Amino acid sequence: MPHPPIAALRSAFTASAKPGSQDWPTLADFTVFAAAGRTCGRAPLIGLPGWTCDDAARVLALAELATRTPEGDLSAHLRTLYWRGDAHERRAVLRALPYLSVARRDPALATALVEDALRTGDPHLIAAARFADLTSATATTDPD
């Protein structure tokens, strides 16, 4: 469940998502985060074991939204998406952390989310939290 470069994640998502939903991550906003599974599908990503279309759609959407959202607002949105989200949405927020500079700029938020996930007992959240390497940001340095 490691974090692939964002270009590889985008490519695998495009190849695996429901027809017509490949652009969803670039068009999405915070209000449609929950709809990723219904819109893009939940199929496994081709070539990226452990990743599903809805995970990738949400992570790609957060990476896109991070480029046009002020850092403080992004932290607030992540907090809301995590605490109000279901297990799939929470997992996507955790999986997005290494791709977002907020993990470095707001380490208290990132740490709180990871600690909560580790306490849940949900094996998918625990795995996402374990792989949320908050010291690196694979996607922020990966050119498109």
Side-chain angles (χ1 to χ4, degrees):
M1 192 143 79
H3 295 283
I6 199 80
L9 186 60
R10 188 176 295 114
S11 177
F13 170 77
T14 300
S16 305
K18 283 182 178 179
S21 68
Q22 290 82 3
D23 290 335
W24 186 88
T26 58
L27 304 173
D29 63 27
F30 294 108
T31 63
V32 297
F33 192 73
R38 290 186 303 277
T39 305
C40 304
R42 294 179 177 89
L45 288 188
I46 297 167
L48 290 178
W51 282 85
T52 60
C53 286
D54 58 326
D55 277 339
R58 289 181 178 115
V59 169
L60 292 168
L62 288 174
E64 173 67 28
L65 289 165
T67 66
R68 57 181 195 252
T69 304
E71 196 72 39
D73 292 346
L74 181 61
S75 291
H77 284 298
L78 290 174
R79 187 177 292 109
T80 299
L81 291 173
Y82 183 85
W83 292 113
R84 292 186 182 168
D86 66 13
H88 297 277
E89 294 160 36
R90 287 180 175 205
R91 182 178 64 231
V93 170
L94 292 167
R95 293 187 107 174
L97 288 175
Y99 296 99
L100 308 174
S101 63
V102 72
R104 289 186 311 276
R105 295 180 191 216
D106 192 352
L109 170 63
T111 300
L113 300 181
V114 167
E115 287 175 348
D116 177 75
L118 293 173
R119 286 191 297 265
T120 65
D122 181 322
H124 299 290
L125 288 180
I126 291 169
R130 285 185 51 234
F131 285 100
D133 177 4
L134 304 180
T135 62
S136 70
T138 306
T140 58
T141 59
D142 182 40
D144 289 330

